[in-house]
């Protein structure tokens, strides 16, 4: 598909994977996929965990460094990390007894692309409910 065809279908030119939410409606499959990611981000603990992982110098953090930041048990933190991993936001690697987590920037980039309005283009004009006013 050419860039023109992609743009005409409301697809993001940078990766060709998904429409920008502000320029074209998502289809049902895309909406389900994106909703899973937003659901994972919809919890304050998971949002904090993602932020802690993403902002860590060196790009990764041990679960042993994440758990003390919360008044939650280690199994609860592991459950939240599992949901972030299932949403495609983070990945993990076991090293001995510890698990290290890192951000998967592809997914955060995809979310940014979905929520980005093309520069210089206004939002569609709202039509009053029930026709003209």
């Amino acid at each position: 598909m050419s860039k023109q065809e992609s743009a005409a279908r409301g697809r993001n030119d940078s990766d060709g994977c998904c429409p920008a939410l502000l320029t074209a409606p998502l289809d049902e499959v895309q909406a389900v996929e994106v909703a899973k990611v937003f659901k994972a981000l919809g919890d304050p603990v998971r949002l904090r965990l993602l932020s802690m992982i993403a902002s860590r110098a060196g790009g990764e953090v041990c679960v042993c460094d994440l758990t003390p930041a919360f008044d939650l048990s280690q199994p609860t933190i592991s459950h939240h990390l599992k949901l972030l991993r299932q949403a495609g936001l983070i990945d993990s690697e076991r090293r001995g007894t510890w698990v290290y987590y890192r951000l998967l920037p592809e997914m955060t980039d995809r979310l940014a692309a979905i929520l980005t309005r093309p520069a210089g283009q206004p939002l569609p004009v709202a039509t009053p409910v029930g026709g003209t006013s």
Side-chain angles (χ1 to χ4, degrees):
M1 177 183 317
S2 72
K3 282 190 176 187
Q4 293 82 9
E5 290 170 321
S6 180
R9 292 183 63 194
R11 303 231 173 236
N12 183 297
D13 286 338
S14 66
D15 61 13
C17 75
C18 41
L21 185 67
L22 303 178
T23 59
L26 297 173
D27 67 30
E28 186 175 347
V29 172
Q30 292 164 330
V32 168
E33 290 174 4
V34 174
K36 287 178 187 176
V37 179
F38 282 124
K39 184 174 181 179
L41 292 173
D43 181 274
V45 171
R46 290 192 289 271
L47 199 53
R48 284 185 60 210
L49 283 166
L50 183 69
S51 176
M52 291 171 73
I53 295 166
S55 64
R56 184 65 167 227
E60 66 179 15
V61 62
C62 179
V63 69
C64 62
D65 294 325
L66 295 170
T67 305
F70 299 90
D71 264 345
L72 299 169
S73 67
Q74 186 276 325
T76 301
I77 296 297
S78 291
H79 172 73
H80 286 295
L81 290 166
K82 176 184 171 184
L83 294 175
L84 289 170
R85 201 171 59 251
Q86 288 174 338
L89 290 160
I90 61 172
D91 199 7
S92 62
E93 179 183 336
R94 180 171 292 280
R95 297 182 197 153
T97 58
W98 298 111
V99 178
Y100 288 78
Y101 292 90
R102 66 184 171 282
L103 178 72
L104 293 176
E106 303 84 23
M107 182 57 76
T108 54
D109 291 349
R110 182 177 177 204
L111 291 176
I114 289 170
L115 294 173
T116 300
R117 180 176 52 87
Q121 291 187 9
L123 289 174
V125 176
T127 304
V129 177
T132 60
S133 54

